[in-house]
Amino acid sequence: MTVVTRFAPSPTGRLHVGNIRTALHNFLFAAKHGGRFLLRIDDTDRERSTAEAEAAIHADLAWLGLAPDAVFRQSDRFDLYEREFERLRAAGRIYACYETPEELDLRRKVLLGRGLPPVYERPAQENAPVEGRSPHWRFRLDHDSPIGWDDLIRGEQKFDPRLISDPVIRRADGSWLYLLPSVIDDIDLGVTHVVRGEDHVSNSAVQLQMFAALGADPPQFAHEALLVAAEGKLSKRLGAVGVGEMQEEGLEPMALLSLLARLGTSQPVEPIGHLPELAATFDFDHFGRAPAHFDMEQVGQLNARLLHQHDYAGVATRLPDWVDADRWLALRSALTRLSDIDQWHEVVAGDIPVPSLSEEDRTFVAAAAGAANSTDWTADPWHALTNALKAETGRKGRALFHPLRKAITGQDSGPEMGPLVRLLGKERVVRRLEVAAQST
Ligand code: GLU
């Protein structure tokens, strides 16, 4: 069996972290099993769907690296829905209803008033047409078939169809509600696994009966616990966090994806640079039932850690011209955002302003210039230099390292000194130490 998953957003706005997470999990599950990941644009609601939102979905998925293997649009498939609708209607599984929303509301209130579940009371016989009203349509649940499935995340699920209203599947104007077209598509496109939020659990219950009514085996379901915004000063409404926000903040797609792949699972959240690596470790067995807390600050931290281990090839096209592979390796440890690299141009490719040091530190860096001059530069010059200075001056820790960093880079903090010093080379390091020693 080839695994087929699908991500089915409605093109009514930008993707946000919640649906990016759903897209990612569908992508990773398919990738792990050598399957196919489909994108289905759920645009049956012609009023709310827009071409801009659809284009943005494509652009966002492309930026994230979650390219679908095929794309379908529900509005191209109305003929198929019509045929299946007629088939179910002929089989007595779809029936016409003429109640107005007010009448339905009243009925619901009466039932609740009597302490009964507000389940739609289906008529004993086919509803007679009502003059001047077009019908809307309901799917007739089979009350004699208990509903159940083994959810890949939630385990055993059971529903009593008698406690569920026959769902409305089509409005009086002929437009489709989400439930039935989704099932028709999942059958037609050979979807094997439906991965989505747990807000869809009750939809799955009625959709299972639709699969059966259409004579198809149902897919397997995985309903994920929802994502919620973590409390904290940087917490934002989740609906506002998406690719646009990531791009504005200069964040790497893999920082977000590394977090979203593991959040709410028993696996550690760690910076992972490539999707195949995330896919290899992806497994619904690791998913928990509790809501997952999303924190933008964590994306920022993962972003920094990702950059610190990033190879040159993966970022080369996005770096300014002055950054070659050696400079990248020497500077990446200083970055929290890729764009921060510009701050280090002078340090590796130009001159730094003369740093001001205390008199004591000037004496120390003068000694350091001498030591650097006699240091063997072929192996690990930074280690050799700091060890020699430690022995010579008795300095250690910050007192040892900080004046050296300040003299060599002009800054109080920055990249790891080992790779940087090697990149700068003996001559430049000695010169900077000498200049700093003479500063006033
Ligand atoms: N368009 C539906 C949604 O965005 C799809 C749900 C599904 O995955 O079946 O909620």
Side-chain angles (χ1 to χ4, degrees), residues 274-302:
H274 303 283
L275 282 163
E277 216 179 313
L278 275 184
T281 54
F282 185 81
D283 194 330
F284 289 121
D285 285 351
H286 302 309
F287 278 66
R289 298 275 306 264
H293 292 262
F294 176 83
D295 186 349
M296 199 59 193
E297 215 169 85
Q298 235 183 325
V299 181
Q301 288 157 6
L302 283 166

Side-chain angles (χ1 to χ4, degrees), residues 43-66:
D43 60 349
T44 56
D45 187 338
R46 304 306 288 153
E47 307 237 301
R48 295 181 58 228
S49 303
T50 67
E52 299 82 75
E54 188 177 330
I57 289 170
H58 287 287
D60 286 356
L61 290 178
W63 187 78
L64 291 161
L66 304 177

Side-chain angles (χ1 to χ4, degrees), residues 247-396:
Q247 289 169 334
E248 260 165 51
E249 302 253 333
L251 295 164
E252 306 297 304
M254 285 310 295
L256 179 66
L257 300 182
S258 292
L259 178 61
L260 292 179
R262 299 274 179 87
L263 204 60
T265 76
S266 56
Q267 289 180 297
V269 170
E270 51 197 5
I272 293 184
H274 303 283
L275 282 163
E277 216 179 313
L278 275 184
T281 54
F282 185 81
D283 194 330
F284 289 121
D285 285 351
H286 302 309
F287 278 66
R289 298 275 306 264
H293 292 262
F294 176 83
D295 186 349
M296 199 59 193
E297 215 169 85
Q298 235 183 325
V299 181
Q301 288 157 6
L302 283 166
N303 198 75
R305 291 171 63 198
L306 259 181
L307 291 174
H308 300 172
Q309 66 185 41
H310 218 302
D311 53 21
Y312 175 67
V315 287
T317 56
R318 293 158 55 218
L319 288 171
D321 285 346
W322 64 269
V323 186
D324 59 14
D326 288 341
R327 286 176 173 174
W328 169 252
L329 294 179
L331 293 177
R332 62 182 182 177
S333 60
L335 309 178
T336 57
R337 302 282 191 274
L338 196 65
S339 56
D340 294 348
I341 199 147
D342 277 324
Q343 298 166 18
W344 298 97
H345 178 257
E346 317 275 80
V347 173
V348 301
D351 284 321
I352 56 164
V354 179
S356 71
L357 297 174
S358 69
E359 204 184 316
E360 235 180 299
D361 282 347
R362 285 202 300 273
T363 313
F364 171 64
V365 295
N373 218 351
S374 50
T375 293
D376 170 13
W377 219 264
T378 48
D380 185 350
W382 176 247
H383 233 92
L385 173 64
T386 51
N387 281 338
L389 285 169
K390 206 187 283 181
E392 189 183 323
T393 66
R395 286 197 183 212
K396 54 186 198 283

Side-chain angles (χ1 to χ4, degrees), residues 6 8-10 40 42 178 182 196 200:
R6 88 292 195 278
S10 304
R40 190 184 81 202
D42 279 8
Y178 147 78
S182 180
R196 57 190 182 188
H200 281 288

